Structure formats: structure tokens, C-alpha cells
Amino acid sequence: MITNVSKLPRRSFFAMLPALLTACSGADLLNATVPTDTYQAVDGLAYGVEQRQRLDVYRPAKQVAQAPLVVFFYGGSWSSGERADYRFVGEALASRGIVAVVADYRLSPAVRYPVFLQDSAHALRWAFDHAADYGADPARVFVMGHSAGAYNAAMLALDKRWLEAVDLTPSRLAGWIGLAGPYDFLPIGDAQTRVAFSWPDTPADSQPLVHASAASPRALLLAAEHDTVVNPQRSTVAMAGRLKASGVQVESALYDSVSHVTLLASMASVLRGRAPVLQRVSDFVRSVG
């Protein structure tokens, strides 16, 4: 039963996780381990008029004065995902005194690039506008994502077009966090990604690595060393190197104890000992203030 997963040995649970997360019950399994006394949630807030322009806010259970705020975008090849599946991420951040915003965005094939970036920019605009309403400091707003969501986060932080469209600039960000992000993936081989980016008519400037420059906010880039979904050398290592060469403050790491999926799953309470992802994110976010 899902309600008993917290009683499994951590090693056994972690070994089962990649297969379980490919099933519809995978997110339910992880979320069943989430403590209920570490956060307060406000669900289903609108940042636009479309059905998928909704977000959830997770506040620390104990009020933190001028708390940092992290807007999180999930992955799924820009063609799948639901914010409710990432309650474990919202709880993880809230448990560290961080206000978390977990946002949906419109998906392919209903939309194509750059609509999911436009939605992400509007969600971030909402976060800046409402940070103080949830006890957060508008001067300490970060954008974060995993996989396709890390692409969204990178593009908001690096390519000023998307935030300028909502009267923001990347310089307003306190930093950006990419977990297993694809930052350089042309030519496109994956079938779902081809649809999302209208391959072969994908513009070259759709790639985050193209926009890496000294104007980037400070960054934290983490990935699995043996990621078989997104090449960590081509994306995470290359992005960190280019930003550092531009004089940007960057922290980066590759972990051999996790996969593309379990890198993010290690933020869940039952798996936090597997890789220090939550600790690295928390330290990075809380170092600004």
C-alpha cells in the first residue's frame, strides 16, 4: 500500500523508485511520504486566464521573516506534468524556510515553443507581485526547474526577451537553479521534443547555452553524472563552464548516486540522504539576503 512506503528501508525504496516513477502512481508514492507539519499550502491560484495557468504556494509552517521564494517548474518533455505531483518539492523547500511556488504551464502538442516560456514568465511575474503576500522578500526570488522545467528556468534567467515581455528583467532574480537541465539539445532526436519545438524549424536561439553571458544571475547547476536522458557534460558542465568564463558566480556538481529522475526525487523526505540536492539548493538560496 502507498501509505506504507515510509516503512520501507531507504535502500529498497530508492532501488524501486525509477520503475515506480514511470507509473501513474509514482508521484503519489513519493507524496505519500511528505510530512504534513512542515508547510501550509494554498492551491490553484491563477496567474492567467488559461486552465493550465495555475500554481500552488507552499509556505513554511513556522513564519520566516522576509523568506526567500523559489518558483519551480517541473519536467516532462514539455508535454506532460501536473503541479500536484510535485508536492514533495514544495514541502522540501518549505521545510527549509523557503516559500515555494510550483507552477503549471501549457504543454505540447496543444502549444509549441515559446508558449511554455511565456507562461513561465507570467508565473514568475505573479511571484514577484505576490511574494510579500506570502511572507517572502521580492528581492530574494529565484527560479528553479528540473529537466524541461530547468530549460524554462534557464531561458527566463538568460534570455531577457521572456521577462521583458512581463515588465521584468533577469537582473531582478536573486539566482537560478537547474536540475538535470537540457541547455543545448539541437538537433532534436526525441519525438515529443521535436513536436514541442517544431523541429526542424527550431530557432538556434531557443537554446539556453546561446544566451549564457556575464548578465546571468548567479546559478546552481546540478545533474546526475550518468544521466541517460540529458547529457550532463553537454548541458550542465558546458553551461557552468561558459557562465564561469563570463564571470558569473556558479556552483555546480554531478552526483553518481542518482539518475535523471531520482536527482529530483532525492528532495523527498524519505530519500534526502541519497544526494544532497535539497541541502545544496537550500544553502544556495539562503546565502542571499
Side-chain angles (χ1 to χ4, degrees), residues 158 176 183-184 208-214 216 219-222 232-254:
L158 301 175
W176 69 280
Y183 309 127
D184 178 28
L209 197 63
V210 172
H211 302 282
S213 73
S216 169
L220 172 65
L221 306 176
L222 306 177
Q233 295 295 325
R234 183 178 178 185
S235 286
T236 295
V237 173
M239 177 64 80
R242 188 163 299 184
L243 290 175
K244 288 178 182 178
S246 298
V248 177
Q249 182 181 345
V250 182
E251 299 177 30
S252 62
L254 301 181

Side-chain angles (χ1 to χ4, degrees), residues 55-245:
L55 53 80
D56 299 337
V57 178
Y58 296 82
R59 303 176 65 179
K62 295 182 180 180
Q63 186 173 353
V64 177
Q66 297 294 289
L69 184 150
V70 172
V71 179
F72 174 77
F73 299 110
Y74 50 75
S77 300
W78 301 277
S79 60
S80 65
E82 298 287 343
R83 66 184 188 277
D85 292 345
Y86 296 89
R87 183 160 56 95
F88 72 93
V89 175
E91 185 279 332
L93 295 170
S95 74
R96 298 301 177 96
I98 300 164
V99 176
V101 173
V102 181
D104 280 335
Y105 51 93
R106 283 175 287 176
L107 300 171
S108 174
V111 302
R112 304 287 196 276
Y113 167 89
V115 173
F116 35 82
L117 293 180
Q118 294 165 343
D119 282 1
S120 298
H122 280 287
L124 190 55
R125 171 81 259 183
W126 184 98
F128 274 100
D129 290 344
H130 295 276
D133 298 340
Y134 296 92
D137 183 354
R140 301 174 70 196
V141 174
F142 298 76
V143 64
M144 169 181 168
H146 171 250
S147 194
Y151 168 91
N152 294 4
M155 287 296 278
L156 297 190
L158 301 175
D159 183 354
K160 65 182 182 179
R161 290 178 294 175
W162 314 113
L163 291 188
E164 284 185 345
V166 295
D167 297 320
L168 288 172
T169 63
S171 64
R172 290 280 305 275
L173 290 167
W176 69 280
I177 302 160
L179 306 182
Y183 309 127
D184 178 28
F185 53 89
L186 297 183
I188 300 173
D190 175 72
Q192 290 178 314
T193 304
R194 284 181 172 226
V195 174
F197 284 84
S198 303
W199 179 259
D201 299 319
T202 311
D205 65 2
S206 65
Q207 302 300 286
L209 197 63
V210 172
H211 302 282
S213 73
S216 169
R218 59 197 292 267
L220 172 65
L221 306 176
L222 306 177
E225 185 171 7
H226 304 293
D227 192 329
T228 59
V229 178
V230 174
N231 185 318
Q233 295 295 325
R234 183 178 178 185
S235 286
T236 295
V237 173
M239 177 64 80
R242 188 163 299 184
L243 290 175
K244 288 178 182 178

Side-chain angles (χ1 to χ4, degrees), residues 30-39 87 91-92 95 268-270 272:
L30 268 186
N31 286 329
T33 71
V34 170
T36 59
D37 60 351
T38 54
Y39 69 95
R87 183 160 56 95
E91 185 279 332
S95 74
S269 56
V270 73
R272 286 177 193 166

